[in-house]
Amino acid sequence: MTRSSFDLEAFLAQPLTARIATSGPTVRPVWYLWEEEVFWILTGPWAKLFHRVRSDPHVALAVDDCDLSTGLVRQVIVSGRGVLVPFDVPRGRRKLARYLGDDESRWDPRFVRYLHDDPGQRGTAWLKLTPTSLTAKDLSYRTTP
């Protein structure tokens, strides 16, 4: 994997939206959790992503940030093989809390259901993406006052 000139861990810890691409090709926005050099994406049989990864596990993912007022432009581009694994509540809570805050009582009920529904009945799963290729680039530029 490629390392970058910026703090990759801090960048990927931000609640940014990634875009994941599957065969087809299809691209969709996703929330993710980056832990132990793995991307975790919540999915299940209700989602096209779940079925596409089952039929072809090769995926690509991009996370980027672009602030035109400051010139800060950073990107992480990943490819790898997606594996569907059982959902676990503690990881689900960590992922959702980074986007929705720590107070679960303030979350939209559809997100709370992911944590409290029976994953076996609902089919909630993780798409686990361990990068085989990771490129991180800082494309920032100076702005003029």
PDB file of all heavy atoms in Angstrom, residues 42-46 50 54 85-90 92 112-126:
ATOM      1  N   LEU A  42     -21.608  -0.843   5.770  1.00  0.00           N
ATOM      2  CA  LEU A  42     -22.827  -1.547   6.148  1.00  0.00           C
ATOM      3  C   LEU A  42     -23.675  -1.809   4.902  1.00  0.00           C
ATOM      4  O   LEU A  42     -23.866  -0.921   4.078  1.00  0.00           O
ATOM      5  CB  LEU A  42     -23.603  -0.663   7.133  1.00  0.00           C
ATOM      6  CG  LEU A  42     -24.719  -1.313   7.897  1.00  0.00           C
ATOM      7  CD1 LEU A  42     -24.761  -0.729   9.303  1.00  0.00           C
ATOM      8  CD2 LEU A  42     -26.034  -1.116   7.224  1.00  0.00           C
ATOM      9  N   THR A  43     -24.167  -3.030   4.774  1.00  0.00           N
ATOM     10  CA  THR A  43     -24.994  -3.400   3.627  1.00  0.00           C
ATOM     11  C   THR A  43     -25.900  -4.558   4.016  1.00  0.00           C
ATOM     12  O   THR A  43     -25.920  -4.990   5.156  1.00  0.00           O
ATOM     13  CB  THR A  43     -24.118  -3.746   2.391  1.00  0.00           C
ATOM     14  OG1 THR A  43     -24.959  -3.847   1.239  1.00  0.00           O
ATOM     15  CG2 THR A  43     -23.308  -5.003   2.592  1.00  0.00           C
ATOM     16  N   GLY A  44     -26.648  -5.037   3.079  1.00  0.00           N
ATOM     17  CA  GLY A  44     -27.539  -6.172   3.318  1.00  0.00           C
ATOM     18  C   GLY A  44     -28.311  -6.503   2.059  1.00  0.00           C
ATOM     19  O   GLY A  44     -28.167  -5.829   1.030  1.00  0.00           O
ATOM     20  N   PRO A  45     -29.165  -7.529   2.115  1.00  0.00           N
ATOM     21  CA  PRO A  45     -29.868  -7.987   0.914  1.00  0.00           C
ATOM     22  C   PRO A  45     -30.818  -6.955   0.304  1.00  0.00           C
ATOM     23  O   PRO A  45     -31.243  -7.109  -0.828  1.00  0.00           O
ATOM     24  CB  PRO A  45     -30.634  -9.225   1.375  1.00  0.00           C
ATOM     25  CG  PRO A  45     -30.368  -9.403   2.804  1.00  0.00           C
ATOM     26  CD  PRO A  45     -29.414  -8.362   3.261  1.00  0.00           C
ATOM     27  N   TRP A  46     -31.145  -5.905   1.028  1.00  0.00           N
ATOM     28  CA  TRP A  46     -32.000  -4.838   0.504  1.00  0.00           C
ATOM     29  C   TRP A  46     -31.234  -3.929  -0.464  1.00  0.00           C
ATOM     30  O   TRP A  46     -31.826  -3.149  -1.185  1.00  0.00           O
ATOM     31  CB  TRP A  46     -32.561  -3.983   1.653  1.00  0.00           C
ATOM     32  CG  TRP A  46     -31.476  -3.278   2.414  1.00  0.00           C
ATOM     33  CD1 TRP A  46     -30.915  -2.065   2.110  1.00  0.00           C
ATOM     34  CD2 TRP A  46     -30.787  -3.759   3.560  1.00  0.00           C
ATOM     35  NE1 TRP A  46     -29.908  -1.770   2.999  1.00  0.00           N
ATOM     36  CE2 TRP A  46     -29.814  -2.786   3.910  1.00  0.00           C
ATOM     37  CE3 TRP A  46     -30.881  -4.898   4.332  1.00  0.00           C
ATOM     38  CZ2 TRP A  46     -28.963  -2.936   4.987  1.00  0.00           C
ATOM     39  CZ3 TRP A  46     -30.024  -5.033   5.415  1.00  0.00           C
ATOM     40  CH2 TRP A  46     -29.083  -4.066   5.734  1.00  0.00           C
ATOM     41  N   PHE A  50     -24.804  -5.202  -2.009  1.00  0.00           N
ATOM     42  CA  PHE A  50     -24.695  -6.547  -1.449  1.00  0.00           C
ATOM     43  C   PHE A  50     -24.677  -7.593  -2.563  1.00  0.00           C
ATOM     44  O   PHE A  50     -23.809  -8.460  -2.620  1.00  0.00           O
ATOM     45  CB  PHE A  50     -25.885  -6.764  -0.505  1.00  0.00           C
ATOM     46  CG  PHE A  50     -25.928  -8.094   0.176  1.00  0.00           C
ATOM     47  CD1 PHE A  50     -25.281  -8.291   1.385  1.00  0.00           C
ATOM     48  CD2 PHE A  50     -26.657  -9.144  -0.364  1.00  0.00           C
ATOM     49  CE1 PHE A  50     -25.343  -9.518   2.040  1.00  0.00           C
ATOM     50  CE2 PHE A  50     -26.727 -10.372   0.275  1.00  0.00           C
ATOM     51  CZ  PHE A  50     -26.068 -10.560   1.481  1.00  0.00           C
ATOM     52  N   ARG A  54     -21.521  -9.890  -4.168  1.00  0.00           N
ATOM     53  CA  ARG A  54     -21.654 -11.357  -4.187  1.00  0.00           C
ATOM     54  C   ARG A  54     -21.321 -11.934  -5.547  1.00  0.00           C
ATOM     55  O   ARG A  54     -20.704 -12.985  -5.644  1.00  0.00           O
ATOM     56  CB  ARG A  54     -23.090 -11.745  -3.823  1.00  0.00           C
ATOM     57  CG  ARG A  54     -23.228 -12.129  -2.417  1.00  0.00           C
ATOM     58  CD  ARG A  54     -24.466 -12.970  -2.255  1.00  0.00           C
ATOM     59  NE  ARG A  54     -24.425 -13.487  -0.908  1.00  0.00           N
ATOM     60  CZ  ARG A  54     -25.479 -13.822  -0.236  1.00  0.00           C
ATOM     61  NH1 ARG A  54     -26.666 -13.714  -0.766  1.00  0.00           N
ATOM     62  NH2 ARG A  54     -25.360 -14.278   0.977  1.00  0.00           N
ATOM     63  N   VAL A  85     -19.238 -10.118   5.432  1.00  0.00           N
ATOM     64  CA  VAL A  85     -19.033 -10.789   6.712  1.00  0.00           C
ATOM     65  C   VAL A  85     -20.178 -10.423   7.656  1.00  0.00           C
ATOM     66  O   VAL A  85     -20.853  -9.407   7.461  1.00  0.00           O
ATOM     67  CB  VAL A  85     -17.657 -10.435   7.340  1.00  0.00           C
ATOM     68  CG1 VAL A  85     -16.524 -10.886   6.438  1.00  0.00           C
ATOM     69  CG2 VAL A  85     -17.558  -8.957   7.642  1.00  0.00           C
ATOM     70  N   PRO A  86     -20.401 -11.226   8.708  1.00  0.00           N
ATOM     71  CA  PRO A  86     -21.496 -10.948   9.636  1.00  0.00           C
ATOM     72  C   PRO A  86     -21.375  -9.577  10.294  1.00  0.00           C
ATOM     73  O   PRO A  86     -20.278  -9.112  10.612  1.00  0.00           O
ATOM     74  CB  PRO A  86     -21.379 -12.064  10.679  1.00  0.00           C
ATOM     75  CG  PRO A  86     -20.658 -13.168   9.976  1.00  0.00           C
ATOM     76  CD  PRO A  86     -19.707 -12.481   9.027  1.00  0.00           C
ATOM     77  N   PHE A  87     -22.508  -8.964  10.505  1.00  0.00           N
ATOM     78  CA  PHE A  87     -22.605  -7.666  11.161  1.00  0.00           C
ATOM     79  C   PHE A  87     -22.361  -7.821  12.653  1.00  0.00           C
ATOM     80  O   PHE A  87     -22.804  -8.801  13.255  1.00  0.00           O
ATOM     81  CB  PHE A  87     -24.000  -7.078  10.916  1.00  0.00           C
ATOM     82  CG  PHE A  87     -24.214  -5.744  11.561  1.00  0.00           C
ATOM     83  CD1 PHE A  87     -23.696  -4.597  10.985  1.00  0.00           C
ATOM     84  CD2 PHE A  87     -24.929  -5.634  12.740  1.00  0.00           C
ATOM     85  CE1 PHE A  87     -23.892  -3.365  11.576  1.00  0.00           C
ATOM     86  CE2 PHE A  87     -25.134  -4.399  13.335  1.00  0.00           C
ATOM     87  CZ  PHE A  87     -24.617  -3.258  12.750  1.00  0.00           C
ATOM     88  N   ASP A  88     -21.648  -6.871  13.234  1.00  0.00           N
ATOM     89  CA  ASP A  88     -21.509  -6.838  14.686  1.00  0.00           C
ATOM     90  C   ASP A  88     -21.883  -5.441  15.185  1.00  0.00           C
ATOM     91  O   ASP A  88     -21.522  -4.436  14.575  1.00  0.00           O
ATOM     92  CB  ASP A  88     -20.103  -7.244  15.134  1.00  0.00           C
ATOM     93  CG  ASP A  88     -19.039  -6.271  14.694  1.00  0.00           C
ATOM     94  OD1 ASP A  88     -18.640  -6.329  13.517  1.00  0.00           O
ATOM     95  OD2 ASP A  88     -18.615  -5.444  15.523  1.00  0.00           O
ATOM     96  N   VAL A  89     -22.637  -5.403  16.265  1.00  0.00           N
ATOM     97  CA  VAL A  89     -23.205  -4.162  16.785  1.00  0.00           C
ATOM     98  C   VAL A  89     -22.132  -3.165  17.248  1.00  0.00           C
ATOM     99  O   VAL A  89     -22.243  -1.980  16.921  1.00  0.00           O
ATOM    100  CB  VAL A  89     -24.228  -4.456  17.898  1.00  0.00           C
ATOM    101  CG1 VAL A  89     -24.682  -3.183  18.592  1.00  0.00           C
ATOM    102  CG2 VAL A  89     -25.430  -5.198  17.319  1.00  0.00           C
ATOM    103  N   PRO A  90     -21.103  -3.568  17.996  1.00  0.00           N
ATOM    104  CA  PRO A  90     -20.134  -2.564  18.435  1.00  0.00           C
ATOM    105  C   PRO A  90     -19.487  -1.795  17.270  1.00  0.00           C
ATOM    106  O   PRO A  90     -19.352  -0.570  17.319  1.00  0.00           O
ATOM    107  CB  PRO A  90     -19.093  -3.374  19.215  1.00  0.00           C
ATOM    108  CG  PRO A  90     -19.845  -4.573  19.695  1.00  0.00           C
ATOM    109  CD  PRO A  90     -20.822  -4.891  18.589  1.00  0.00           C
ATOM    110  N   GLY A  92     -20.815  -1.444  14.305  1.00  0.00           N
ATOM    111  CA  GLY A  92     -21.904  -0.658  13.725  1.00  0.00           C
ATOM    112  C   GLY A  92     -22.131   0.635  14.490  1.00  0.00           C
ATOM    113  O   GLY A  92     -22.327   1.700  13.894  1.00  0.00           O
ATOM    114  N   VAL A 112     -30.949   3.471  13.902  1.00  0.00           N
ATOM    115  CA  VAL A 112     -31.000   2.732  15.168  1.00  0.00           C
ATOM    116  C   VAL A 112     -31.379   1.282  14.904  1.00  0.00           C
ATOM    117  O   VAL A 112     -30.851   0.364  15.529  1.00  0.00           O
ATOM    118  CB  VAL A 112     -31.980   3.399  16.154  1.00  0.00           C
ATOM    119  CG1 VAL A 112     -32.120   2.576  17.429  1.00  0.00           C
ATOM    120  CG2 VAL A 112     -31.533   4.823  16.483  1.00  0.00           C
ATOM    121  N   ARG A 113     -32.280   1.058  13.957  1.00  0.00           N
ATOM    122  CA  ARG A 113     -32.722  -0.310  13.632  1.00  0.00           C
ATOM    123  C   ARG A 113     -31.564  -1.205  13.198  1.00  0.00           C
ATOM    124  O   ARG A 113     -31.559  -2.398  13.473  1.00  0.00           O
ATOM    125  CB  ARG A 113     -33.808  -0.279  12.564  1.00  0.00           C
ATOM    126  CG  ARG A 113     -35.172   0.102  13.104  1.00  0.00           C
ATOM    127  CD  ARG A 113     -36.277  -0.197  12.098  1.00  0.00           C
ATOM    128  NE  ARG A 113     -36.150   0.560  10.859  1.00  0.00           N
ATOM    129  CZ  ARG A 113     -36.701   1.756  10.654  1.00  0.00           C
ATOM    130  NH1 ARG A 113     -37.403   2.335  11.595  1.00  0.00           N
ATOM    131  NH2 ARG A 113     -36.559   2.353   9.501  1.00  0.00           N
ATOM    132  N   TYR A 114     -30.579  -0.630  12.501  1.00  0.00           N
ATOM    133  CA  TYR A 114     -29.429  -1.450  12.097  1.00  0.00           C
ATOM    134  C   TYR A 114     -28.761  -2.083  13.317  1.00  0.00           C
ATOM    135  O   TYR A 114     -28.265  -3.195  13.251  1.00  0.00           O
ATOM    136  CB  TYR A 114     -28.382  -0.623  11.346  1.00  0.00           C
ATOM    137  CG  TYR A 114     -28.779  -0.226   9.957  1.00  0.00           C
ATOM    138  CD1 TYR A 114     -28.843   1.112   9.591  1.00  0.00           C
ATOM    139  CD2 TYR A 114     -29.082  -1.183   9.000  1.00  0.00           C
ATOM    140  CE1 TYR A 114     -29.196   1.484   8.303  1.00  0.00           C
ATOM    141  CE2 TYR A 114     -29.439  -0.820   7.711  1.00  0.00           C
ATOM    142  CZ  TYR A 114     -29.492   0.516   7.372  1.00  0.00           C
ATOM    143  OH  TYR A 114     -29.845   0.874   6.104  1.00  0.00           O
ATOM    144  N   LEU A 115     -28.746  -1.354  14.422  1.00  0.00           N
ATOM    145  CA  LEU A 115     -28.074  -1.850  15.622  1.00  0.00           C
ATOM    146  C   LEU A 115     -28.921  -2.843  16.407  1.00  0.00           C
ATOM    147  O   LEU A 115     -28.384  -3.720  17.062  1.00  0.00           O
ATOM    148  CB  LEU A 115     -27.705  -0.680  16.543  1.00  0.00           C
ATOM    149  CG  LEU A 115     -26.740   0.347  15.958  1.00  0.00           C
ATOM    150  CD1 LEU A 115     -26.463   1.425  17.000  1.00  0.00           C
ATOM    151  CD2 LEU A 115     -25.455  -0.287  15.486  1.00  0.00           C
ATOM    152  N   HIS A 116     -30.243  -2.685  16.360  1.00  0.00           N
ATOM    153  CA  HIS A 116     -31.096  -3.460  17.255  1.00  0.00           C
ATOM    154  C   HIS A 116     -31.952  -4.518  16.575  1.00  0.00           C
ATOM    155  O   HIS A 116     -32.534  -5.355  17.251  1.00  0.00           O
ATOM    156  CB  HIS A 116     -31.963  -2.506  18.082  1.00  0.00           C
ATOM    157  CG  HIS A 116     -31.129  -1.553  18.896  1.00  0.00           C
ATOM    158  ND1 HIS A 116     -30.362  -1.960  19.961  1.00  0.00           N
ATOM    159  CD2 HIS A 116     -30.902  -0.228  18.757  1.00  0.00           C
ATOM    160  CE1 HIS A 116     -29.717  -0.927  20.467  1.00  0.00           C
ATOM    161  NE2 HIS A 116     -30.025   0.142  19.748  1.00  0.00           N
ATOM    162  N   ASP A 117     -32.033  -4.484  15.257  1.00  0.00           N
ATOM    163  CA  ASP A 117     -32.736  -5.554  14.550  1.00  0.00           C
ATOM    164  C   ASP A 117     -31.893  -6.815  14.589  1.00  0.00           C
ATOM    165  O   ASP A 117     -30.669  -6.758  14.735  1.00  0.00           O
ATOM    166  CB  ASP A 117     -32.986  -5.178  13.080  1.00  0.00           C
ATOM    167  CG  ASP A 117     -34.096  -4.160  12.920  1.00  0.00           C
ATOM    168  OD1 ASP A 117     -34.755  -3.831  13.917  1.00  0.00           O
ATOM    169  OD2 ASP A 117     -34.290  -3.688  11.789  1.00  0.00           O
ATOM    170  N   ASP A 118     -32.516  -7.926  14.418  1.00  0.00           N
ATOM    171  CA  ASP A 118     -31.806  -9.204  14.363  1.00  0.00           C
ATOM    172  C   ASP A 118     -31.093  -9.292  13.013  1.00  0.00           C
ATOM    173  O   ASP A 118     -31.744  -9.393  11.969  1.00  0.00           O
ATOM    174  CB  ASP A 118     -32.805 -10.344  14.528  1.00  0.00           C
ATOM    175  CG  ASP A 118     -32.177 -11.718  14.400  1.00  0.00           C
ATOM    176  OD1 ASP A 118     -30.954 -11.819  14.181  1.00  0.00           O
ATOM    177  OD2 ASP A 118     -32.919 -12.707  14.524  1.00  0.00           O
ATOM    178  N   PRO A 119     -29.736  -9.231  12.999  1.00  0.00           N
ATOM    179  CA  PRO A 119     -29.024  -9.274  11.716  1.00  0.00           C
ATOM    180  C   PRO A 119     -29.316 -10.541  10.926  1.00  0.00           C
ATOM    181  O   PRO A 119     -29.306 -10.524   9.703  1.00  0.00           O
ATOM    182  CB  PRO A 119     -27.552  -9.200  12.091  1.00  0.00           C
ATOM    183  CG  PRO A 119     -27.477  -8.915  13.534  1.00  0.00           C
ATOM    184  CD  PRO A 119     -28.836  -9.142  14.130  1.00  0.00           C
ATOM    185  N   GLY A 120     -29.572 -11.641  11.614  1.00  0.00           N
ATOM    186  CA  GLY A 120     -29.886 -12.880  10.913  1.00  0.00           C
ATOM    187  C   GLY A 120     -31.202 -12.784  10.160  1.00  0.00           C
ATOM    188  O   GLY A 120     -31.341 -13.316   9.060  1.00  0.00           O
ATOM    189  N   GLN A 121     -32.166 -12.075  10.739  1.00  0.00           N
ATOM    190  CA  GLN A 121     -33.472 -11.925  10.096  1.00  0.00           C
ATOM    191  C   GLN A 121     -33.437 -10.843   9.017  1.00  0.00           C
ATOM    192  O   GLN A 121     -33.935 -11.029   7.923  1.00  0.00           O
ATOM    193  CB  GLN A 121     -34.529 -11.578  11.147  1.00  0.00           C
ATOM    194  CG  GLN A 121     -35.919 -11.472  10.590  1.00  0.00           C
ATOM    195  CD  GLN A 121     -36.921 -11.134  11.684  1.00  0.00           C
ATOM    196  OE1 GLN A 121     -36.589 -10.544  12.707  1.00  0.00           O
ATOM    197  NE2 GLN A 121     -38.154 -11.520  11.463  1.00  0.00           N
ATOM    198  N   ARG A 122     -32.828  -9.716   9.331  1.00  0.00           N
ATOM    199  CA  ARG A 122     -32.776  -8.599   8.388  1.00  0.00           C
ATOM    200  C   ARG A 122     -31.714  -8.826   7.313  1.00  0.00           C
ATOM    201  O   ARG A 122     -31.824  -8.340   6.204  1.00  0.00           O
ATOM    202  CB  ARG A 122     -32.497  -7.308   9.151  1.00  0.00           C
ATOM    203  CG  ARG A 122     -32.461  -6.073   8.295  1.00  0.00           C
ATOM    204  CD  ARG A 122     -32.227  -4.854   9.191  1.00  0.00           C
ATOM    205  NE  ARG A 122     -31.936  -3.675   8.436  1.00  0.00           N
ATOM    206  CZ  ARG A 122     -32.816  -2.739   8.140  1.00  0.00           C
ATOM    207  NH1 ARG A 122     -34.044  -2.850   8.546  1.00  0.00           N
ATOM    208  NH2 ARG A 122     -32.455  -1.682   7.449  1.00  0.00           N
ATOM    209  N   GLY A 123     -30.655  -9.548   7.678  1.00  0.00           N
ATOM    210  CA  GLY A 123     -29.585  -9.814   6.721  1.00  0.00           C
ATOM    211  C   GLY A 123     -28.481  -8.778   6.729  1.00  0.00           C
ATOM    212  O   GLY A 123     -27.624  -8.770   5.841  1.00  0.00           O
ATOM    213  N   THR A 124     -28.479  -7.883   7.722  1.00  0.00           N
ATOM    214  CA  THR A 124     -27.448  -6.861   7.798  1.00  0.00           C
ATOM    215  C   THR A 124     -26.065  -7.512   7.812  1.00  0.00           C
ATOM    216  O   THR A 124     -25.846  -8.497   8.507  1.00  0.00           O
ATOM    217  CB  THR A 124     -27.634  -5.996   9.066  1.00  0.00           C
ATOM    218  OG1 THR A 124     -28.972  -5.483   9.080  1.00  0.00           O
ATOM    219  CG2 THR A 124     -26.652  -4.842   9.101  1.00  0.00           C
ATOM    220  N   ALA A 125     -25.165  -6.964   7.029  1.00  0.00           N
ATOM    221  CA  ALA A 125     -23.816  -7.514   6.903  1.00  0.00           C
ATOM    222  C   ALA A 125     -22.828  -6.373   6.732  1.00  0.00           C
ATOM    223  O   ALA A 125     -23.222  -5.227   6.492  1.00  0.00           O
ATOM    224  CB  ALA A 125     -23.743  -8.453   5.693  1.00  0.00           C
ATOM    225  N   TRP A 126     -21.578  -6.703   6.847  1.00  0.00           N
ATOM    226  CA  TRP A 126     -20.504  -5.772   6.525  1.00  0.00           C
ATOM    227  C   TRP A 126     -19.906  -6.143   5.182  1.00  0.00           C
ATOM    228  O   TRP A 126     -19.685  -7.311   4.910  1.00  0.00           O
ATOM    229  CB  TRP A 126     -19.379  -5.850   7.566  1.00  0.00           C
ATOM    230  CG  TRP A 126     -19.691  -5.243   8.883  1.00  0.00           C
ATOM    231  CD1 TRP A 126     -19.824  -5.914  10.058  1.00  0.00           C
ATOM    232  CD2 TRP A 126     -19.887  -3.865   9.177  1.00  0.00           C
ATOM    233  NE1 TRP A 126     -20.096  -5.027  11.060  1.00  0.00           N
ATOM    234  CE2 TRP A 126     -20.137  -3.762  10.549  1.00  0.00           C
ATOM    235  CE3 TRP A 126     -19.873  -2.697   8.413  1.00  0.00           C
ATOM    236  CZ2 TRP A 126     -20.374  -2.545  11.179  1.00  0.00           C
ATOM    237  CZ3 TRP A 126     -20.121  -1.487   9.035  1.00  0.00           C
ATOM    238  CH2 TRP A 126     -20.358  -1.419  10.405  1.00  0.00           C
TER     239      TRP A 126
END
